[in-house]
Amino acid sequence: RIYLSASNEVFGITLIFTWLMTYIFFPHQIEDHPAKRIIGSYNPCFGWDYAPASWIALAFCSMNVLLTWRYSWLEQTRSFLLSPGGLTRVQWFGKITANMLALASNLWLLLWLIGPIGQSPGGSTNVSVWFLHTGIFVTYALSSYLCALANYLEALYDEDHSNVQLSNTIFIAIYSFSLGFLVVVYFVNLVEYEVGQEPALPPWLTQSADIVWIASVSSITSFLPKEPALRVTTELVFDPEVVGLVAE
């Protein structure tokens, strides 16, 4: 859970830093971003798609490769220690989603190669390339969400349900809605996009999807339940012969 939260915190810190940098020194990269014609709103990636912010973003986000692979290993180790006789369905779900996130973190680094490269601010918009760019983004976002869901389910189906509070359930419900909402509005805009036409959906709707999703991701550290505790059983066996030898 800590490593999962850390990967999202790296994402958030990088996003804030690069957005401030681009907005102050290179505002045209945001205002004239080629993808803005497709969605009509300000996507979180607009602040780091182009150099020099992209150099910083790539360097910082590459740390998530370590954090997510470490999370994957610890998630699987915990599940094995809790269920040495065989993983439960929920633990299998956690294992699969953890590996998905680790692989998605490697794929994520292609964001700065597929999309921004060859399409400068103010230039033409190649919707096919931005379709692939969005697909990479959604793959990571979905994997991160599924890991959070697995964490919630593992705590919920543990013998001791005390770790799961109402706030945790409300959070995972909002997170589920935010990701679904985000994916739908983006792909509708991409599929329906026509050169020279307004975006298919009102820009405020797409912007709202971004805000709700970012708020959900930012809340993972605070609202995910703690994992089930690891329990170690120690058994003491009384052996009279051994006790006799020690006494002598």
Side-chain angles (χ1 to χ4, degrees):
R1 174 176 173 272
I2 293 175
Y3 280 89
L4 178 62
S5 299
S7 67
N8 285 288
E9 288 170 3
V10 167
F11 169 77
I13 292 170
T14 305
L15 203 62
I16 293 170
F17 182 79
T18 53
W19 251 88
L20 287 174
M21 176 182 173
T22 304
Y23 184 78
I24 294 171
F25 299 105
F26 309 96
H28 69 283
Q29 293 182 357
I30 297 173
E31 294 296 336
D32 300 328
H33 196 287
K36 190 180 177 185
R37 302 187 189 97
I38 301 173
I39 60 176
S41 60
Y42 296 96
N43 178 270
C45 295
F46 285 6
W48 68 16
D49 273 344
Y50 296 102
S54 60
W55 305 337
I56 298 170
L58 184 57
F60 279 34
C61 287
S62 64
M63 292 189 292
N64 279 345
V65 175
L66 169 63
L67 294 174
T68 53
W69 278 105
R70 181 64 173 171
Y71 167 77
S72 177
W73 183 82
L74 290 172
E75 170 67 20
Q76 294 176 69
T77 302
R78 165 178 282 275
S79 296
F80 175 76
L81 292 174
L82 287 171
S83 303
L87 302 184
T88 65
R89 292 182 180 180
V90 171
Q91 288 169 337
W92 268 109
F93 178 65
K95 177 180 179 178
I96 292 170
T97 56
N99 285 324
M100 280 179 57
L101 178 62
L103 292 170
S105 69
N106 290 98
L107 185 64
W108 173 266
L109 301 181
L110 293 177
L111 275 178
W112 289 275
L113 295 177
I114 301 176
I117 299 296
Q119 296 189 73
S120 59
S124 60
T125 299
N126 185 337
V127 69
S128 298
V129 172
W130 291 109
F131 221 116
L132 291 174
H133 183 91
T134 304
I136 293 171
F137 171 82
V138 169
T139 299
Y140 185 89
L142 177 62
S143 300
S144 182
Y145 159 73
L146 290 175
C147 284
L149 179 61
N151 178 278
Y152 171 80
L153 292 175
E154 286 175 354
L156 182 66
Y157 287 102
D158 183 48
E159 294 177 1
D160 182 10
H161 304 290
S162 61
N163 286 342
V164 179
Q165 307 297 324
L166 179 60
S167 59
N168 304 133
T169 303
I170 293 174
F171 164 72
I172 207 68
I174 294 174
Y175 193 6
S176 303
F177 167 77
S178 70
L179 180 62
F181 182 32
L182 184 77
V183 172
V184 169
V185 297
Y186 268 86
F187 280 108
V188 166
N189 277 322
L190 283 164
V191 170
E192 298 295 328
Y193 173 71
E194 293 184 11
V195 178
Q197 301 296 319
E198 293 294 320
L201 297 175
W204 66 265
L205 191 64
T206 309
Q207 196 70 72
S208 298
D210 284 326
I211 293 171
V212 174
W213 177 75
I214 290 174
S216 297
V217 171
S218 302
S219 302
I220 285 179
T221 302
S222 301
F223 289 102
L224 270 186
K226 294 182 180 179
E227 299 94 335
L230 291 175
R231 300 178 179 86
V232 178
T233 301
T234 303
E235 185 176 343
L236 300 177
V237 179
F238 178 74
D239 189 335
E241 295 183 2
V242 174
V243 173
L245 288 173
V246 173
E248 292 177 1

